[in-house]
């Protein structure tokens, strides 16, 4: 087997020594080429080269969710072709590693590498669905490039939090759960649309849902983790179905406390619920329009402001080693 390892040197929880150990372990089982990313988008470029190559069987992403997202976008640049594309494997190296953990992999890079090698020996893999977001035709965002996401996207409040965290990290702050919680509080205090939402959700054959303050789109469950605690925004979301949506139409102080508590106490059986909570399951396609530009995030990466985004759930997009 010939494999390409894409390693992010800035990954939060893996040192250079750890990466060397993991590369040595993988190289003992396969013909391995290891490349360290050097710029934003490099992992995407490497994934695309692997997809266009005729002799790469496997791409291993060593890093956080951002690295995995770039690799996936490279592999899927010409569209899904599960049988014709290299398989994907993930060794978690970030602070949260939602995609890897949602697949059932250990959150420790060394343990995950051992699990990966066992899976390769046993031929254990699954074909998973992915989400894709694109600028909506006929709107000012129609020229925005399409982008795949592996586990979640968000338009509005949660994307604003992601943007704030990225700003803090650029200033040298470490990515910690405490950092995220502080930015949640700051985003809430400065959120201009928390009482009167600007988002409308449209889907074929259904009445539009208007005045949403925030919208979370999930391709799997859990939505994220706080330490070892999984957080379920849309408990029914799965790699085997379409996309799920959690929308909130009110974010007053009382509502924010209620839904935050429900998220923190969520389970695989129940997520946020109530008068101002919208939960939709297994959607193939829908569009979010906003009266005002709102921040967009995908897989924890802030992508700027958008007014209209069309989301599509693509079943059986990519083979993954598990």
């Amino acid at each position: 087997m010939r494999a390409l390892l894409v390693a992010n040197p800035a990954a939060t929880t893996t040192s250079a020594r750890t990466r060397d150990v993991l590369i040595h372990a993988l190289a003992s089982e396969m013909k391995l080429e290891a490349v360290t990313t050097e710029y934003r988008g490099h992992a995407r470029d490497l994934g695309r080269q692997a997809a266009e190559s005729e002799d790469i069987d496997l791409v291993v992403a060593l890093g956080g969710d951002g690295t995995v997202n770039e690799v996936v976008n490279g592999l899927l640049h010409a569209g899904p072709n599960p049988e014709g594309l290299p398989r994907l494997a993930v060794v978690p190296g970030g602070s949260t590693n939602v995609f890897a953990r949602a697949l059932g992999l250990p959150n420790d890079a060394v343990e995950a590498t051992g699990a990966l090698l066992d899976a390769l020996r046993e031929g254990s893999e699954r074909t998973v669905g992915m989400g894709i977001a694109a600028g909506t035709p006929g709107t000012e965002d129609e020229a925005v490039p399409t982008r795949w996401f592996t586990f979640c996207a968000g338009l509005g409040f949660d994307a604003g939090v992601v943007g704030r965290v990225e700003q803090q990290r650029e200033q040298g702050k470490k990515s910690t759960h405490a950092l995220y919680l502080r930015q949640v509080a700051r985003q809430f205090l400065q959120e201009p649309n928390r009482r009167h939402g600007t988002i409308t959700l449209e889907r074929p054959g259904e009445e539009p849902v208007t005045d949403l303050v925030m919208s979370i789109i999930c391709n799997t469950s859990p939505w994220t983790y706080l330490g070892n605690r999984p957080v379920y925004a849309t408990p029914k979301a799965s790699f085997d179905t379409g996309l799920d949506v959690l929308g909130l139409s009110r974010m007053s102080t009382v509502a924010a406390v209620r839904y935050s508590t429900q998220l923190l106490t969520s389970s695989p059986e129940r997520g946020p619920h109530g008068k101002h909570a919208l939960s939709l399951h297994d959607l193939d396609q829908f569009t979010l329009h906003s009266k005002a530009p709102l921040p967009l995030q995908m897989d924890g990466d802030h992508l700027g402001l958008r007014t209209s985004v069309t989301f599509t759930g693509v079943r059986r997009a990519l083979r993954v080693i598990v």
Side-chain angles (χ1 to χ4, degrees):
M1 176 183 292
R2 185 174 177 186
L4 171 68
L5 174 73
V6 179
N8 179 4
T12 308
T13 58
T14 50
S15 65
R17 179 176 295 180
T18 300
R19 287 196 299 274
D20 289 342
V21 171
L22 300 182
I23 289 171
H24 181 75
L26 292 168
S28 67
E29 299 282 342
M30 63 192 74
K31 186 177 181 181
L32 183 72
E33 178 187 2
V35 181
T36 300
T37 57
E38 298 176 354
Y39 54 86
R40 189 180 182 98
H42 194 184
R44 180 197 61 226
D45 295 341
L46 293 168
R48 178 169 182 166
Q49 292 169 17
E52 295 172 345
S53 169
E54 296 182 355
D55 56 359
I56 298 294
D57 304 300
L58 174 70
V59 178
V60 183
L62 170 54
D65 289 309
T67 302
V68 176
N69 178 278
E70 285 196 13
V71 169
V72 166
N73 272 276
L75 288 171
L76 296 176
H77 78 281
N81 179 14
E83 301 307 318
L85 290 172
R87 289 168 291 172
L88 172 69
V90 178
V91 177
S95 58
T96 310
N97 308 305
V98 178
F99 181 68
R101 295 164 81 176
L103 287 170
L105 292 170
N107 197 36
D108 176 80
V110 176
E111 291 182 15
T113 300
L116 167 60
L117 291 173
D118 288 342
L120 287 169
R121 295 186 192 107
E122 297 167 4
S124 178
E125 64 180 54
R126 64 181 291 193
T127 303
V128 301
M130 297 285 178
I132 189 168
T136 307
T139 71
E140 62 185 50
D141 288 332
E142 66 178 338
V144 174
T146 59
R147 179 157 172 163
W148 295 85
F149 58 96
T150 65
F151 66 92
C152 85
L155 182 69
F157 183 85
D158 78 305
V161 174
V162 168
R164 288 176 179 273
V165 170
E166 287 191 4
Q167 289 178 350
Q168 294 295 308
R169 294 188 65 182
E170 289 172 358
Q171 295 172 13
K173 300 290 181 61
K174 289 186 177 181
S175 179
T176 64
H177 300 298
L179 175 63
Y180 272 89
L181 292 175
R182 287 196 300 271
Q183 302 315 312
V184 167
R186 290 173 181 172
Q187 180 68 23
F188 174 75
L189 292 174
Q190 297 179 27
E191 173 61 55
N193 304 307
R194 67 186 188 188
R195 292 187 178 275
H196 304 286
T198 65
I199 302 171
T200 295
L201 185 151
E202 295 181 352
R203 50 190 170 133
E206 301 289 343
E207 288 294 317
V209 180
T210 61
D211 301 327
L212 296 175
V213 175
M214 65 175 290
S215 53
I216 295 172
I217 301 95
C218 294
N219 186 46
T220 188
S221 189
W223 166 51
T224 190
Y225 292 82
L226 284 177
N228 292 322
R229 179 193 291 273
V231 179
Y232 299 89
T234 56
K236 293 181 181 179
S238 167
F239 288 127
D240 299 320
T241 62
L243 301 175
D244 284 24
V245 178
L246 171 67
L248 298 180
S249 59
R250 181 69 60 85
M251 201 172 287
S252 63
T253 301
V254 173
V257 170
R258 179 189 304 119
Y259 294 124
S260 296
T261 301
Q262 290 180 354
L263 277 171
L264 292 174
T265 59
S266 59
S267 71
E269 289 73 40
R270 194 170 199 188
H273 53 277
K275 179 180 179 182
H276 301 293
L278 169 75
S279 185
L280 301 173
H281 175 57
D282 194 12
L283 303 184
D284 290 326
Q285 189 174 82
F286 60 94
T287 296
L288 297 177
H289 300 287
S290 176
K291 300 173 186 176
L294 293 177
L296 172 70
Q297 68 88 9
M298 279 188 253
D299 288 346
D301 189 8
H302 187 270
L303 300 178
L305 301 178
R306 300 286 190 272
T307 55
S308 187
V309 186
T310 295
F311 294 90
T312 304
V314 181
R315 292 169 170 80
R316 298 185 56 80
L318 199 61
R319 291 180 300 163
V320 181
I321 302 298
V322 289

